[in-house]
Amino acid sequence: MKKPKNEVKITFHSRSVNERLARSIVAAFAAQADPSVSVLADLRTAVSEAVTNAIVHAYPDEMGKITMTLKLYDDGRLTVKIADRGCGIPDVAEAMTPLFTTGGEERSGLGFSVMESFCDKVKVRSKVGKGTAVTLYKTLTEKGGESR
């Protein structure tokens, strides 16, 4: 992958109020590529799911830190990496199965499915006791600079 034309990295506490902050940051950062409103909405939804997963599942009994790294490339591709140093996921494939959840009755188990439906690609890496990194890939503009 080529060097990004712009990059931002922010770390915040695993507090539910920061999910809204993450959505706002990704929308503001992506706006420089002039994507359509629907592309921005998709991106905000996917980021919301990834950050919420980190808040709810990575640190079930304590406050932790979440780092979000955004990279924008000349061709309109955006990557958003949301990483934590929480408990990790024992079986990533199982966790990505629709309706699977470890979050109790109030959780739907659709977070990864939502991310995949709103992004071009979703990559998840996790180690038990070390944390999880979810990388979202989204093309913001078509060739020629037009918004998708």
Side-chain angles (χ1 to χ4, degrees):
M1 202 177 259
K2 293 181 180 181
K3 185 175 177 181
K5 73 175 183 177
N6 200 1
E7 181 175 352
V8 170
K9 186 175 190 175
I10 182 170
T11 300
F12 48 88
H13 284 262
S14 61
R15 298 176 47 116
S16 60
V17 67
N18 287 330
E19 176 268 335
R20 185 179 316 138
L21 173 67
R23 283 186 299 148
S24 297
I25 290 168
V26 77
F29 184 80
Q32 65 190 294
D34 197 26
S36 69
V37 171
S38 64
V39 168
L40 275 179
D42 290 352
L43 185 59
R44 287 172 51 104
T45 300
V47 166
S48 179
E49 290 295 332
V51 170
T52 297
N53 273 0
I55 291 168
V56 170
H57 299 291
Y59 306 105
D61 302 318
E62 63 183 346
M63 183 71 59
K65 296 207 177 179
I66 298 169
T67 299
M68 183 169 72
T69 306
L70 303 102
K71 295 180 182 182
L72 182 64
Y73 297 86
D74 284 326
D75 62 2
R77 289 177 299 120
L78 175 75
T79 62
V80 181
K81 182 177 179 181
I82 294 152
D84 64 68
R85 293 181 176 245
C87 62
I89 302 171
D91 185 337
V92 171
E94 181 182 42
M96 293 183 76
T97 302
L99 304 179
F100 176 83
T101 184
T102 59
E105 290 181 17
E106 69 277 0
R107 311 306 312 171
S108 67
L110 293 173
F112 285 120
S113 296
V114 169
M115 287 179 239
E116 289 176 322
S117 69
F118 287 116
C119 293
D120 301 330
K121 179 180 169 187
V122 175
K123 187 163 105 181
V124 181
R125 292 192 177 176
S126 189
K127 289 190 179 184
V128 174
K130 301 285 185 183
T132 301
V134 174
T135 306
L136 309 172
Y137 299 84
K138 182 78 173 168
T139 301
L140 302 178
T141 56
E142 302 271 341
K143 286 186 178 180
E146 294 180 25
S147 184
R148 287 178 60 145

